[in-house]
Each structure stands twice: as C-alpha cells, then as structure tokens.
Amino acid sequence: MASVNMHKRSRSSQQMTGMEEGSPFLSSSTSTEWDPNSMGSSDTAVTDVFNMALLVMLYAMQGVPLGLSLGSIPFILKSQASYTEVGIFSLAGYPYSLKLLWSPVVDTVFSAKLGWRKSWVLPMQMASGLLMIFSAETAEYWLEAADIRSITTLFLIFVLLAATQDIAVDGWALTLLSRKNVGHASTCQTVGMNSGYFLSFTIFLALNDVDFCNKYLRSSPSPKGILSLSNYFYFWGWFYVVTTVLLLYKSEKPFHNTHISTGSDSQLSNLEPRFDASYKALDKLDSGDYQGQGNFDDNGKHRSTYEKKGLGVNERKREGFKLPFGHGSSNDKVAGTIRQIGVRRMYRRLWAVLTLPNIRSLSFVLLVCKLGSVTAEAVGVFKLMEKGVTREMVSLVVLIEFPLELLFAVFAGKWASRGRPFSPWVVGYYMRLGMAAISTCLVALFPVGATISSAPFFYIMIIVCGILTSFASTIMFVSQGTFFARISDSSMGGTYLTLLNTIANLGSAWPRFFIFILLDWLTVQECVGVGTGDGVLPLACPTRKGSFNPCTNAGGTCKITSDGFYPLSFAMILLGAFIGYLCRKRLSNLETAKVDAWRA
C-alpha cells in the first residue's frame, strides 16, 4: 500500500546525500599530510574493510529500534488502539528528527581517554541494550494491553538513545576510515540502517503475525506468532551489551582525518588550519603568539611550561583559548581546540543560518510539502487492514519495495544531477498527490473480507500503488538531497546538511500526529440495535477496540456512518495541490539564488 514505504522515510536524508558531522567547525581531511593512514598500504585496506563492517553493524543496530517504533509497533497497536492513540505513539519517533538540537553537545563534550566518539557510542549502546533486557517482559505486556502512554515513553527513550548514537557514529565514520575510503561511509550507513529497519519491520512483523506463522512456518496452528517482542528485545539487548564490551578494545584514532578551525565567528567560515606530520601549523593561523611543550589534560590545560611569544599565557586564557596550535600530541591539539570552540558558538552559527531568508523560504516548503499525501500514506494501510488485509500482505509489499527503492534512488540521483534538482522534485510531488488520490479510491472500493484469491485485482493494485508511491517519494527524497548538497556550506562540516535534513524530517513527522487525531474526530459511529428493527440506540461506540463498549455489551453493533478518512484525505490532497502551486515559483527562485545567499 502507498503508506507502507513512508515509514522508512523518517530516516534522515543523509543516507543518500552523505555523512553528517555534528560540529560546524570540523570536516574530513583532504590533506595527505594530516592523514597518516592515507598511504594506500595493504594493511590500511584490510583495516578499512573491517572498519566498514563495523560501521554497517553500528548503523544496523540503530535501525532496530527505528524499525520497531516507525514500522512494526503501530501496525500491532492498531488492532486494538484508536487512531488518536496511534498518533500519540508516533511521537516516539520525534527525537530522530530533532537530534540537531543536541549534536553540538555530542561533538564538544567527551573524554579524550575513552575516545571522541566512543565517549558517546559506548554508553548509548550499553543503555539501549540494558533497557531492552530489563524491559522485555514489561514491553510485551504493554504492547498486548495497548498501554499507549507506557509503550510510547519506552520507545521515545529508545529512539533518543539511537539518535544520539547516530550523531557520534556519523562523526566516527569520518575518522574510522582512511582518507581514500572515507567516501564509503555513506554506503555503510545506507546498508546498515536499511538492514536494521528491514529486520525490525518486515521480518519481525511477519514472524510476530499468527496467520503468517501458521500458514508458512508451522505444521500445526498456534495462537501466537513465532517471535514475540520480549524475545526480540532479549536477543538484541544481549547483542548490544556484548558488542559494546568488545568495542572497549577497539582503538580510536579520533582526529587523524579531521581539520579544525578557530578564531572569531567570521574567521571560522574561511579558515581551516592543517598540520603536517610533525604537527607544525601550515597555515600560520597562530602567528607565533606563543609556544609551549608538554602534554595537555582532558580540559586542554597545559601541564608543563610555556615560552611566552608576543601574547602571554594569561592573556590567552582570558580570551578563552586553552590550547595553542602546533603543540603536544595531535590528539591533544585537536581535542583542546574543539573544546575551546565551545557549544555556544556552535549554536550561534546554527541560529545565524536559520535566520537567512532563503533558509526560511526553503524551510516553509519542506515543512508543508507532505501535507497533501500524508493522510493516504499514513492511514490508508490501516483502513485496508480494517477491511481484511493481513499483516502478512503488508510485509510482502515492504519486501517487494525494498530492492526497488535502491534502483529508484540510482535513477533519481542521475536525473537530479543533470540540471535543476527541483524539476524532478516537482514531478515526484504531483505524482505523489495523484497516487494519494488513487490510493484513497482503492481503499473505498476494496471489498470487505476479500482475499488474494477472491479479489486478485485489488491486491495487485495495492502492490502497484505501493511501488509507484515509493518511486515518487524517492524522486523527491533524492532530488532535495542533491540540492542540499549543492547549497551546503562546507566550512560548517556536515552540520549545514544536517540542519536541512532535520527540517525535511520534521515535514514528514509533525502532520501525522494531527492527522490521526482529526481522523477520530471526523469519524462518526452509531450503535445499531439488534432485534429492534435495526434502530439506532443511544449508546456510545468507543474508538478504541479493546476498551469497554456499552453498545456491544447491550447486544448492539457499532456501525460507521461517516468515515473521516475519505473527506480528510481528499481535502488534504486539494490543499497539497494549492501548496504545490504556491511553491513552484519559490523553488525556482531558490534554485537560481547565488551561493552567497546560503551563507551566514
């Protein structure tokens, strides 16, 4: 169905457009002097292969809670929860769309002894693993009872931990691989995230489904699926814990691929000091203000003596500079410089970008462009399940879409790179609106209780609609990513790109909560009496299936007299067409804007 693929769109667009780096003042090295592992030796190549495998595993571990929270759990909850409650659970995925808010903290607060990135990767993974182990049985109970508040809080924590880990892993990927192979980091990210998501969505949903297991995997039927949420939690919880312990012995060379910038905010936009093998400043940014020798502690404080040159140590300390360039070990130098930059300056730089007129205009487009199709894509599959489509069929559609999306991405990338990236984006936008209209009509016409053998045409249409919607959304996804990469300010590392991805992700996330609530408000049910001439009884029909139902308890039947899905879906499609008309000229102006208009 059209909505199935949209659960996977919540993952940041950096999958297609490259790696993010949380710090505005850090970037991957392009200097052979600064990268001691860039000599292309066979040992380096073998090390990179193992490191790429490590990255794939780390990203797959992030995909596990995302696949559950954005994919499997909403489908399981819908069997006994209302649309409003499913909308409340969708809030659990918000931390992944908001991780930019604390990414500067992850980049500047760390222990040099443990490692720049391991300081966050290890505790986040260990916390996730232990939480899975100790909450396994409780989570299973909450899911079966549809305890929305508890299950939402639990998965909100899981996604928060995964989002924080993602910031650190993205940064670690830039230094974990040698200079010549660092470009493969985005491939590791795509493969790992999609694999983890696939395991927790398609595989878990199928193995948890009673009908699928009884039909394909068992000789005799059973009332439950093969894989429960508690068993799934136990497996991944122990996997997280063991992996985290093993990572303690993984050495980290945190700064060998990293450039650093210091100075005023204006200088930070242009300066990028590099160091040669002897760690002497090449760009003369320090101007010989002072020199010193010795080691530095975790706070960047010099432990030995200084030789005063031009500007004394006390004066430098009053200006907030704890560590000079060109002194101590390479890791000490960069670690101290990162700390002296400070979190406040990072946030000031981000705010300056957000106030740019072009960024505000682009943000408006990104935040409203999903409104037209969100109802059909987020709710349509649930409406089909109410008419008898099984979770087995939903898993099948996702399984078919998974390899096709990779092909769509290649095609969309070539199309977007040939000229103006928003040209294919607009095509995908209107195609997506058209598929939303067709999907809504398909839901309305789908026969209640139809099976794939009794109504093969409708099931084929479900698959076709899902594939075409996936194609349209992938075109938009890759096209906007191409444009993001084109306008991003390289002096801010990957944070500029992460900012744009965050806004785009919010455009997909924020409407869903309100759409689910509106759906319950607009849907009208009446209690029809049994044995009383089918007259309407003055009894309430609750929206939640598992709750107390006065109507059915009195022998009546709850009947939907006005389904809010159809008017809401078509109203949003018309709104989407109007938004598209408003945004086309705005997008054209953004494409032709000069590069300086995107710089703070």
Side-chain angles (χ1 to χ4, degrees):
M1 186 54 204
S3 67
V4 174
N5 69 88
M6 286 308 299
H7 291 280
K8 294 174 282 188
R9 288 283 172 259
S10 61
R11 169 62 182 158
S12 173
S13 305
Q14 68 206 44
Q15 290 182 14
M16 295 296 181
T17 56
M19 297 303 302
E20 70 173 285
E21 171 63 48
S23 169
F25 316 104
L26 308 172
S27 62
S28 61
S29 174
T30 56
S31 168
T32 56
E33 295 90 357
W34 179 235
D35 183 6
N37 291 332
S38 62
M39 302 306 293
S41 65
S42 58
D43 289 342
T44 300
V46 173
T47 301
D48 276 356
V49 170
F50 283 105
N51 287 340
M52 281 188 271
L54 173 62
L55 284 176
V56 170
M57 183 183 67
L58 292 176
Y59 281 121
M61 292 166 67
Q62 293 174 30
V64 169
L66 292 179
L68 291 171
S69 60
L70 302 175
S72 302
I73 302 302
F75 284 104
I76 297 174
L77 285 175
K78 190 60 194 73
S79 61
Q80 53 183 324
S82 67
Y83 284 106
T84 298
E85 290 174 320
V86 174
I88 293 173
F89 180 78
S90 69
L91 298 176
Y94 274 37
Y96 221 91
S97 298
L98 299 173
K99 60 183 178 180
L100 182 71
L101 297 178
W102 61 92
S103 62
V105 178
V106 176
D107 273 316
T108 55
V109 178
F110 59 90
S111 167
K113 181 179 294 186
L114 185 59
W116 186 13
R117 302 306 180 180
K118 286 171 62 178
S119 295
W120 289 92
V121 172
L122 298 185
M124 294 303 105
Q125 282 189 178
M126 182 62 75
S128 297
L130 293 177
L131 184 59
M132 285 184 183
I133 292 172
F134 289 110
S135 68
E137 300 295 338
T138 306
E140 180 77 19
Y141 172 77
W142 286 340
L143 182 62
E144 292 178 352
D147 187 342
I148 299 299
R149 180 178 297 180
S150 300
I151 200 74
T152 300
T153 303
L154 177 64
F155 275 92
L156 183 72
I157 297 173
F158 279 130
V159 175
L160 178 63
L161 294 172
T164 306
Q165 182 201 18
D166 181 65
I167 298 169
V169 173
D170 285 345
W172 195 6
L174 296 176
T175 58
L176 193 62
L177 305 179
S178 64
R179 180 179 60 84
K180 69 173 185 176
N181 289 321
V182 73
H184 295 302
S186 60
T187 303
C188 298
Q189 182 185 50
T190 302
V191 173
M193 284 295 302
N194 286 345
S195 299
Y197 197 102
F198 182 75
L199 288 172
S200 289
F201 187 10
T202 307
I203 302 300
F204 175 77
L205 195 63
L207 296 181
N208 184 260
D209 184 60
V210 176
D211 295 333
F212 179 87
C213 295
N214 290 339
K215 185 176 180 180
Y216 297 106
L217 303 177
R218 289 185 174 129
S219 57
S220 57
S222 176
K224 289 189 177 182
I226 290 178
L227 185 61
S228 65
L229 181 63
S230 59
N231 290 335
Y232 198 68
F233 268 17
Y234 278 129
F235 171 80
W236 281 110
W238 284 112
F239 187 90
Y240 273 56
V241 170
V242 172
T243 302
T244 304
V245 173
L246 293 177
L247 278 177
L248 285 171
Y249 301 95
K250 170 65 179 175
S251 61
E252 180 181 356
K253 298 178 180 178
F255 307 114
H256 76 269
N257 263 358
T258 305
H259 289 172
I260 52 177
S261 300
T262 189
S264 66
D265 286 340
S266 60
Q267 289 174 322
L268 287 168
S269 301
N270 305 307
L271 301 181
E272 192 179 63
R274 294 183 292 273
F275 297 83
D276 61 14
S278 62
Y279 308 114
K280 296 179 180 179
L282 296 176
D283 296 336
K284 300 181 180 180
L285 298 180
D286 194 59
S287 301
D289 286 335
Y290 72 98
Q291 297 178 353
Q293 296 180 349
N295 297 319
F296 297 84
D297 61 21
D298 284 347
N299 294 319
K301 183 178 179 181
H302 195 270
R303 292 175 178 170
S304 184
T305 60
Y306 288 98
E307 177 185 350
K308 180 175 179 181
K309 278 197 173 184
L311 188 63
V313 176
N314 292 332
E315 288 79 1
R316 294 285 295 224
K317 285 184 177 179
R318 282 199 297 269
E319 293 182 7
F321 290 87
K322 297 179 181 178
L323 183 66
F325 287 111
H327 305 89
S329 69
S330 60
N331 287 350
D332 287 337
K333 285 195 302 252
V334 182
T337 304
I338 291 169
R339 291 191 179 99
Q340 77 182 24
I341 288 170
V343 177
R344 290 184 180 181
R345 183 178 287 174
M346 292 186 182
Y347 283 114
R348 286 201 303 268
R349 188 85 184 276
L350 288 174
W351 179 252
V353 172
L354 280 171
T355 58
L356 293 173
N358 275 17
I359 291 293
R360 292 201 303 266
S361 184
L362 179 60
S363 298
F364 170 78
V365 175
L366 296 175
L367 289 173
V368 301
C369 66
K370 306 296 195 311
L371 286 175
S373 57
V374 65
T375 305
E377 292 175 348
V379 183
V381 67
F382 293 126
K383 286 296 178 182
L384 286 175
M385 292 175 69
E386 289 179 359
K387 289 193 170 186
V389 176
T390 63
R391 282 190 277 166
E392 171 193 347
M393 187 63 193
V394 174
S395 300
L396 176 63
V397 175
V398 178
L399 183 62
I400 294 173
E401 290 178 1
F402 180 70
L404 290 176
E405 281 192 345
L406 301 180
L407 297 178
F408 295 158
V410 174
F411 171 78
K414 291 182 178 180
W415 187 3
S417 62
R418 288 178 180 175
R420 302 175 68 174
F422 276 125
S423 295
W425 189 93
V426 171
V427 173
Y429 179 84
Y430 283 108
M431 181 179 176
R432 200 164 172 179
L433 285 181
M435 292 312 304
I438 294 174
S439 299
T440 304
C441 294
L442 176 62
V443 172
L445 298 174
F446 192 90
V448 177
T451 63
I452 193 169
S453 58
S454 64
F457 171 77
F458 287 97
Y459 278 87
I460 292 174
M461 285 300 298
I462 290 174
I463 296 175
V464 171
C465 286
I467 292 174
L468 292 179
T469 302
S470 176
F471 176 68
S473 60
T474 301
I475 289 177
M476 293 179 63
F477 179 72
V478 177
S479 298
Q480 74 184 26
T482 302
F483 183 72
F484 291 170
R486 182 178 299 180
I487 65 174
S488 293
D489 186 353
S490 60
S491 72
M492 295 181 65
T495 298
Y496 200 110
L497 185 62
T498 306
L499 172 64
L500 297 176
N501 289 332
T502 298
I503 298 171
N505 287 338
L506 283 175
S508 299
W510 77 265
R512 291 172 177 264
F513 172 74
F514 299 100
I515 289 297
F516 281 117
I517 292 178
L518 281 173
L519 194 63
D520 273 340
W521 284 357
L522 295 174
T523 298
V524 178
Q525 296 187 82
E526 290 183 344
C527 181
V528 179
V530 177
T532 60
D534 290 336
V536 177
L537 300 178
L539 297 174
C541 288
T543 57
R544 179 171 180 164
K545 296 179 177 61
S547 61
F548 175 76
N549 193 326
C551 177
T552 56
N553 290 344
T557 303
C558 288
K559 181 180 179 180
I560 296 178
T561 58
S562 177
D563 194 332
F565 169 70
Y566 304 106
L568 181 60
S569 182
F570 283 117
M572 298 305 290
I573 290 170
L574 292 175
L575 176 61
F578 179 68
I579 290 173
Y581 172 77
L582 292 179
C583 292
R584 288 192 66 174
K585 185 176 181 181
R586 182 172 298 193
L587 291 175
S588 178
N589 293 336
L590 292 175
E591 280 185 316
T592 56
K594 295 182 179 180
V595 176
D596 291 343
W598 301 98
R599 302 292 181 261

